[in-house]
Each structure stands twice: as structure tokens, then as C-alpha cells.
């Protein structure tokens, strides 16, 4: 039969995320955080920094995948983070195939 826990015994989302990141840092030699410039990956980036500091890691490896179609304000935001002293960012420009409609004709571009 299922046992229900009291609220005080329930782990909140923040505690669960930190516990999972600790598990990752304990079990893997190299941990890299992917950063898109969005709010979700920004939270993960800061939580990874928090946990990395617990393990004595001062700079965290970060990967940003630039599809070259990302709006300039996002690029500027990511570039600001790239320059922080605790970030060791690898910035990859990855071609993305897409298409656009011009005068009723679909044209592919990369």
C-alpha cells in the first residue's frame, strides 16, 4: 500500500535539482552544461555553478550552439555570460537548414 509523506518530508523542486546535480558531479569525470540563453538553461547554469563550487570547481564548462538564426538580443545575452570569469564556454556555430517563402516560392537556405 502506498505511503503518503507529510509536506515536511517532501523534497521541493530546487532541492531535487541540486541533489541530481550532485549525483552527476559525483559520478562523472567531466560535466558540461549546455546553455541556450533561455530561462530554463539559465537556471541550470546557475545551479551547476552552485554545485560545482561545492566540489571545489571554480570554472564550469559550458556549450552554446549557435544556429546563426538566433535573435541578436539572445546572442548579446549569451556573450555576456561567456565573458564571466566562472564560465569556460565553447561556442559552436552550427549550420541549420531551413526554408523561406519568397513571392509564393519556397527557397531553401543554410
Amino acid at each position: 500500500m502506498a505511503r503518503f509523506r507529510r509536506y515536511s518530508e517532501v523534497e521541493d523542486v530546487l532541492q531535487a535539482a541540486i541533489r541530481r546535480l550532485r549525483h552527476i558531479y559525483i559520478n562523472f569525470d567531466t560535466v558540461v552544461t549546455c546553455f541556450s540563453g533561455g530561462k530554463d538553461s539559465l537556471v541550470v547554469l546557475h545551479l551547476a555553478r552552485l554545485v560545482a563550487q561545492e566540489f571545489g570547481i571554480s570554472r564550469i564548462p559550458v556549450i552554446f550552439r549557435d544556429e546563426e538564426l538566433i535573435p541578436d538580443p539572445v546572442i548579446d545575452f549569451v556573450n555576456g555570460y561567456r565573458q564571466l570569469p566562472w564560465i569556460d564556454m565553447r561556442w559552436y556555430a552550427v549550420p541549420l537548414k531551413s526554408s523561406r517563402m519568397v513571392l509564393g516560392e519556397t527557397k531553401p537556405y543554410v
Side-chain angles (χ1 to χ4, degrees):
M1 185 179 298
R3 177 180 172 268
F4 293 97
R5 297 187 292 178
R6 291 179 297 201
Y7 180 74
S8 61
E9 297 175 352
V10 176
E11 185 176 50
D12 66 29
V13 173
L14 178 60
Q15 292 168 332
I18 291 170
R19 178 179 50 78
R20 290 173 180 144
L21 281 166
R22 284 180 183 137
H23 174 81
I24 291 168
Y25 274 92
I26 288 168
N27 288 290
F28 296 95
D29 294 332
T30 303
V31 177
V32 177
T33 303
C34 293
F35 181 50
S36 69
K39 60 187 177 292
D40 296 329
S41 67
L42 180 62
V43 169
V44 172
L45 182 63
H46 280 274
L47 289 177
R49 178 187 186 204
L50 178 77
V51 173
Q53 287 176 325
E54 291 178 11
F55 289 88
I57 301 168
S58 58
R59 287 178 52 99
I60 62 170
V62 177
I63 291 178
F64 173 67
R65 188 176 138 228
D66 184 352
E67 299 167 347
E68 299 188 336
L69 294 172
I70 298 171
D72 288 342
V74 176
I75 293 295
D76 294 342
F77 181 72
V78 171
N79 192 43
Y81 266 84
R82 181 185 63 82
Q83 296 175 35
L84 293 174
W86 54 273
I87 292 200
D88 179 18
M89 184 178 288
R90 300 294 184 262
W91 188 304
Y92 295 101
V94 180
L96 179 69
K97 292 182 181 181
S98 191
S99 62
R100 63 178 178 214
M101 179 72 75
V102 178
L103 299 172
E105 190 177 331
T106 301
K107 297 187 178 196
Y109 69 96
V110 176

